[in-house]
Amino acid sequence: MDHPLIAKLEQFSRLSDEDRRTLEILTEGPVRRFASRADIVREGEAPRAVRLILSGWACRYKQLPNGRRQIVALFLPGDLCDHNVFVLSEMDHSIGTLSPVALVEIPPPAFEEMMTVRPRVTRALWWESLVNAATQREWILNLGGRDAVERLAHLFCELFYRLRGIGHMQDGGCDLPLTQTDLAEVAGLTPVHVNRTLQSLRRQGLLELRGRRLTIPDLPALERVASFNPNYLHLDRVGARFDA
Amino acid sequence: MDHPLIAKLEQFSRLSDEDRRTLEILTEGPVRRFASRADIVREGEAPRAVRLILSGWACRYKQLPNGRRQIVALFLPGDLCDHNVFVLSEMDHSIGTLSPVALVEIPPPAFEEMMTVRPRVTRALWWESLVNAATQREWILNLGGRDAVERLAHLFCELFYRLRGIGHMQDGGCDLPLTQTDLAEVAGLTPVHVNRTLQSLRRQGLLELRGRRLTIPDLPALERVASFNPNYLHLDRVGARFDA
DNA sequence: ATCGAGCCATCACCTGTGTTAGCGTTCTTT
DNA sequence: AAAGAACGCTAACACAGGTGATGGCTCGAT
């Protein structure tokens, strides 16, 4: 398998062999593995290292006193849990897995040293954190401005682009470990209504969803339904990699 | 009036006279003024400088093709529009004013130079950008997990803390330039329902709102209604400034 | 002094989503 | 092989919030 962080950053800028090697060395620490549905960090704990997801799906989530849980971000392979967390004394949210996950923890000093010697990588990492922020904003728009059908359609469009960027889409399809309850916690809906909404998307031929496999037969159509605009992903070099 | 950025950063760490002077010099460029309801930057434009709000209220917003507008962040005096935007080639959202605004634009080189010579300020700026990210997450939770009453109550709690941090709360009250339509665009509601909800908050004695002035007579009560937890604002030094 | 534009308020009605409950299937565990 | 848990699906009903329309107030422009 290709290195997911390198694959991700190369969507933004071309990296030299030297850059790539630096990233490989940085992330070759011991691999930590987590079961599905386990917590990686909990709200209230002190942040320690920078974490890189190597495989599997994870999420940031926050819990309300009434028991409701809201997923506020999804982590896919190649995603970093914010570079500078260690400035903060306490986590304001938890990070948990949605499937079995493998990750490495990058020691902050190694991270900072790399920033001084590899400017192109540093710039690419700034890009990645700005894209994260933009994605958060898009989720706010999604929750505040779109109805259930548009909201789920938008989520699947985003996942399509993000998974393709790390080479996880094969012929319009991907593995989707999320349950309908997970989707509900992402979309701010109830599981029942997620089910209704998925039925509707399927009936319209916008989605196939069998077992743990998602297929998007007609991405442009889905994008139209979602009023999806990928500009917030800032995929500057995408033409170089995916055009015919 | 005190320097709003310095006031803000001192909620996180104590700054030296030297640090303060550096920040003052950095932000003493020409002041640009905008009328109320004007755009500062538009989606699609290339980002240029780092902007610091000196006075007035502004917002990031995104527009849906159906005309709906969603405010995804509020800027108060002392707030910076992300440090590193200039890495991106194109804005994915617009920034507009909600009241008359004065701001300075900090040239990126000056910014970067400061980062190399004033580590404590740099750290404080990291803190500020992490707090921004945390606030975005909290807004996602707000939209996804809370009903209209809780949502508006939460917003007013957040504004209380943020305004207090920059010295803009006087005896439990502040000026609130937002119209009910603005509140609707923040909270993902219709203006009509915002009106209903404000009535309800007023009837419960949680809020006074006359003219452009907001008073919160009983913050703890409002916090309870909102299930507000200020941990996401990471006000590490707050005890040093506001305790009796 | 008058006009018009915002803004706040209110009403009646409608609809998207939540709630509760139940059933069948598939996976896991033993 | 059996039992239980998790998950997907459905249905009937309830309600929070959206829609559209209207009136009154305030305030700046003419």
Side-chain angles (χ1 to χ4, degrees), chain A residues 196-209:
Chain A
R196 288 195 272 249
T197 307
L198 290 178
Q199 308 284 352
S200 153
L201 287 168
R202 277 191 278 220
R203 247 179 287 117
Q204 299 177 253
L206 295 168
L207 222 64
E208 285 162 39
L209 198 46

Side-chain angles (χ1 to χ4, degrees), chain A residues 43 62 64-65 68 70 84 89-90 92-93 130 134 136-138 141 143-146 227 231 234 236, chain B residues 43 62 64-65 68 70 84 89-90 92-93 130 134 136-138 140-141 144-146 227 231 234 236:
Chain A
E43 183 167 350
K62 305 197 72 159
L64 282 169
R68 196 183 166 96
Q70 176 72 38
N84 294 321
S89 52
E90 186 179 301
D92 57 66
H93 62 276
L130 290 166
Q136 302 286 95
R137 289 192 289 269
E138 190 67 29
L141 174 61
L143 290 167
R146 283 190 260 251
S227 17
N231 68 347
H234 297 282
D236 297 20
Chain B
E43 183 166 350
K62 304 196 74 159
L64 283 170
R68 195 183 167 95
Q70 175 73 38
N84 293 321
S89 53
E90 185 179 300
D92 57 66
H93 62 275
L130 289 167
Q136 301 288 93
R137 289 192 288 268
E138 191 68 27
I140 291 176
L141 174 61
R146 284 189 260 252
S227 21
N231 67 347
H234 297 281
D236 299 20

Side-chain angles (χ1 to χ4, degrees), chain A residues 2-15 23 51-53 74-81 83 124-125 127-133 135 161-167 233-238 241-242:
Chain A
D2 256 11
H3 193 297
L5 179 57
I6 293 174
K8 188 180 174 192
L9 296 182
E10 290 211 309
Q11 292 176 99
F12 169 64
S13 85
R14 197 180 296 278
L15 300 177
L23 282 167
R51 292 181 177 80
L52 167 66
I53 308 286
L74 286 174
F75 290 123
L76 305 181
D79 285 341
L80 287 166
C81 313
H83 317 170
L125 289 169
W127 167 81
E128 107 101 20
S129 83
L130 290 166
V131 169
N132 283 347
T135 304
Y161 278 86
R162 290 174 64 185
L163 289 167
R164 189 183 64 172
I166 51 172
L233 298 170
H234 297 282
L235 300 172
D236 297 20
R237 282 188 66 249
V238 77
R241 304 180 72 230
F242 296 111

